[in-house]
């Protein structure tokens, strides 16, 4: 087993999960050089809700964001989350639109495309995956993980095989709602590694409090890459702290080799400069919240859900909304 590779999420999923995706590009650029120097496998800097948020709330050009970040972080691959046939929107788009978007994303600075479909439907991977391969970039196919009577380790392994057959360069287990327990993670990684001869990347939010242990067991099972967020932008609906995982693996066969002093400097920037600025958007899910084990709301949706409920003066109904989500999921056959 070689050293574990880390994808840093602070520039995208961390603030999407904690602050409803409100971080300005201007607050990312001052720390970019240090992020570039760490030696991460990739930095997730685009995709997900960032495109929507830049236009809807921040008065920013999302294309200019990726160009500026690529210029400021030239030596570390830039990663994005691509919603399959939905690209960065909330409905499916025509094939030619998907193909052209992926082409322009690659040209503007995206190196790693994490492609997922909320329904795990292989048909919604085909066009975007083909477009990523045509662009010459890394196509990472992500399996959306959930827990239900109809989802099994065997079904996930079968899906991984079909995604590998499409040309995936790596497989990601996308535990967006923090439902993946440590021992299940071990078994799931083992099953996927048996089904496909590809690197496995594990993405797990920390909402329910299991993610650090989940990542450790996933690595022990053979996962080569993991997602983390710098400590001052971690935990709650975000991700496991980067420094904590670096320290856990230090001196072992999985040693990341990352510079702890540099990571602490990055953490100080986000703790002292960035996080206080976005306090008004802060998620109330600051610690482990085991309600999510039943509600299954993805970390990247929680802060936006809270923001929307507050705007509608309905935040007092949050508990009811969480319970309703579980009921609707069952009614619809566990999508």
């Amino acid at each position: 087993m070689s050293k574990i590779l880390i994808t840093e999420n602070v520039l995208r999923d961390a603030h999407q999960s904690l602050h409803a995706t409100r971080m300005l590009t201007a607050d990312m650029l001052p720390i970019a050089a240090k992020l570039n120097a760490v030696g991460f496998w990739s930095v997730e800097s685009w995709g997900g809700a960032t495109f929507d948020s830049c236009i809807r709330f921040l008065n920013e050009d999302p294309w200019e964001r990726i160009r500026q970040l690529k210029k400021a972080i030239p030596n570390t691959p830039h990663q994005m989350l691509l919603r399959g046939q939905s690209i960065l929107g909330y409905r499916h788009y025509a094939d030619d639109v998907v193909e052209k978007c992926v082409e322009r994303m690659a040209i503007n600075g995206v190196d790693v495309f994490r492609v997922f479909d909320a329904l795990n439907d292989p048909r919604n991977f085909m066009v975007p995956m083909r477009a990523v391969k045509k662009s010459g970039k890394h196509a990472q196919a992500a399996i959306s993980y959930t827990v239900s009577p109809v989802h099994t380790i065997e079904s996930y392994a079968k899906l991984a095989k079909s995604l590998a057959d499409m040309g995936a360069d790596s497989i990601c287990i996308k535990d967006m709602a923090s439902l993946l327990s440590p021992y299940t993670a071990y078994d799931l990684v083992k099953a996927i590694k048996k089904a496909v001869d590809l690197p496995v990347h594990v993405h797990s939010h920390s909402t329910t409090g299991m993610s650090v242990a989940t990542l450790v067991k996933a690595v022990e099972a053979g996962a080569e890459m993991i997602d983390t967020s710098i400590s001052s932008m971690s935990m709650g609906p975000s991700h496991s702290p980067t420094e904590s995982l670096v320290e856990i693996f230090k001196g072992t066969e999985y040693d990341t080799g990352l510079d702890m002093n540099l990571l602490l400097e990055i953490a100080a920037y986000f703790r002292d400069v960035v996080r206080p600025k976005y306090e008004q958007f802060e998620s109330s899910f600051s610690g482990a919240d085991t309600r999510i084990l039943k509600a299954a709301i993805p970390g990247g949706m929680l802060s936006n859900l809270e923001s929307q409920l507050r705007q509608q003066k309905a935040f007092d109904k949050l508990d009811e909304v969480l319970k309703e989500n579980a009921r609707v999921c069952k009614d619809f056959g566990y999508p």
Side-chain angles (χ1 to χ4, degrees):
M1 182 73 186
S2 59
K3 71 175 184 178
I4 291 304
L5 305 174
I6 288 184
T7 291
E8 173 56 57
N9 285 258
V10 71
L11 298 184
R12 203 284 296 179
D13 204 1
H15 70 98
Q16 178 170 324
S17 301
L18 295 173
H19 301 134
T21 331
R22 295 302 202 274
M23 194 189 299
L24 295 163
T25 307
D27 289 324
M28 303 176 187
L29 293 174
I31 199 66
K34 289 183 179 178
L35 286 169
N36 187 54
V38 173
F40 295 120
W41 182 74
S42 67
V43 172
E44 193 194 39
S45 56
W46 216 58
T50 58
F51 201 95
D52 177 312
S53 185
C54 281
I55 296 169
R56 192 187 300 255
F57 302 116
L58 305 180
N59 195 29
E60 286 192 6
D61 179 350
W63 295 100
E64 186 60 27
R65 170 177 290 190
I66 187 60
R67 286 192 290 266
Q68 288 183 324
L69 289 173
K70 181 68 174 179
K71 183 178 180 180
I73 307 174
N75 302 327
T76 304
H78 285 255
Q79 182 170 310
M80 73 167 290
L81 183 66
L82 185 72
R83 296 170 177 158
Q85 198 74 23
S86 299
I87 318 175
L88 293 169
Y90 302 98
R91 64 176 178 86
H92 287 174
Y93 293 91
D95 290 355
D96 59 342
V97 177
V98 175
E99 290 163 353
K100 180 56 70 171
C101 273
V102 169
E103 173 195 299
R104 301 314 302 174
M105 291 165 178
I107 289 171
N108 279 274
V110 177
D111 303 294
V112 179
F113 289 77
R114 178 175 288 169
V115 183
F116 83 103
D117 176 65
L119 299 175
N120 282 337
D121 188 337
R123 293 172 298 179
N124 296 327
F125 285 84
M126 293 175 66
V127 174
M129 290 277 287
R130 185 175 67 220
V132 174
K133 297 296 288 184
K134 184 179 179 181
S135 75
K137 302 300 183 177
H138 186 104
Q140 183 175 93
I143 296 169
S144 296
Y145 179 81
T146 192
V147 176
S148 85
V150 298
H151 292 88
T152 65
I153 286 177
E154 291 74 25
S155 68
Y156 287 130
K158 183 178 178 181
L159 176 59
K161 179 66 169 63
S162 67
L163 297 173
D165 291 343
M166 279 184 209
D169 296 303
S170 60
I171 299 292
C172 174
I173 300 169
K174 187 176 185 294
D175 175 32
M176 61 280 178
S178 189
L179 303 178
L180 183 59
S181 63
Y183 291 100
T184 301
Y186 186 91
D187 292 341
L188 181 57
V189 171
K190 284 286 189 184
I192 291 175
K193 295 295 286 186
K194 185 176 180 180
V196 302
D197 186 22
L198 291 174
V200 172
H201 197 143
V202 181
H203 169 94
S204 184
H205 286 253
S206 52
T207 324
T208 65
M210 299 190 291
S211 64
V212 171
T214 292
L215 292 179
V216 170
K217 291 304 290 184
V219 166
E220 290 179 352
E224 289 89 351
M225 297 105 85
I226 58 173
D227 278 16
T228 62
S229 293
I230 204 74
S231 59
S232 50
M233 291 288 286
S234 70
M235 305 307 286
S238 182
H239 313 88
S240 298
T242 302
E243 303 97 300
S244 300
L245 271 299
V246 168
E247 191 66 21
I248 285 170
F249 294 128
K250 184 177 179 181
T252 73
E253 59 185 308
Y254 312 116
D255 198 323
T256 65
L258 301 185
D259 184 340
M260 181 62 76
N261 291 327
L262 189 52
L263 292 172
L264 292 174
E265 290 177 26
I266 295 168
Y269 172 77
F270 284 100
R271 180 179 61 249
D272 300 335
V273 178
V274 174
R275 194 146 186 180
K277 182 175 180 178
Y278 298 94
E279 186 177 5
Q280 63 179 306
F281 302 110
E282 190 83 27
S283 171
S284 65
F285 292 84
S286 56
D289 197 311
T290 50
R291 289 178 296 177
I292 305 303
L293 289 170
K294 297 297 183 183
I297 305 284
M301 287 174 61
L302 274 172
S303 57
N304 287 283
L305 171 64
E306 292 177 79
S307 176
Q308 289 164 9
L309 286 173
R310 286 194 175 96
Q311 288 168 12
Q312 297 173 42
K313 300 188 180 352
F315 187 70
D316 60 306
K317 293 183 170 62
L318 177 60
D319 235 16
E320 295 173 50
V321 171
L322 295 179
K323 291 174 183 176
E324 181 70 4
N325 192 72
R327 286 195 293 269
V328 171
C329 187
K330 181 179 179 182
D331 289 346
F332 276 80
Y334 305 104

